[in-house]
Amino acid sequence: MIIPVRCISCGKPVGHLWEDFQERREDGDPKEILDDLGIERYCCRSLFLTHADLAAKAAKFKK
Ligand SMILES: [Zn+2]
């Protein structure tokens, strides 16, 4: 759905970095982007690399 505000494992706030990561991901190396954003722990890195943003698709359906 939406990227968690904090890392699920360690609690570091990462939600504010998601849009920047997504924009740069289109033509950049994910390793360099994560290093540049200051995401060092592998729990946080896996959160960014494996996240599927389905908020727009889910928003089409009513409750
Ligand atoms: Zn983490």
Side-chain angles (χ1 to χ4, degrees):
M1 279 298 276
I2 301 170
I3 190 101
V5 175
R6 287 176 175 266
C7 174
I8 292 164
S9 299
C10 71
K12 178 186 167 89
V14 291
H16 63 291
L17 303 171
W18 174 247
E19 285 184 2
D20 193 18
F21 176 78
Q22 251 188 334
E23 285 173 15
R24 294 170 63 180
R25 176 70 186 87
E26 289 169 12
D27 45 32
D29 179 24
K31 179 192 179 297
E32 289 175 9
I33 299 167
L34 289 170
D35 287 343
D36 196 41
L37 290 174
I39 302 168
E40 294 174 355
R41 300 187 189 115
Y42 57 78
C43 53
C44 310
R45 293 174 85 97
S46 70
L47 193 68
F48 275 74
L49 294 174
T50 60
H51 181 69
D53 205 354
L54 301 174
K57 286 182 181 173
K60 290 178 191 167
F61 300 99
K62 291 185 178 177
K63 209 172 183 182

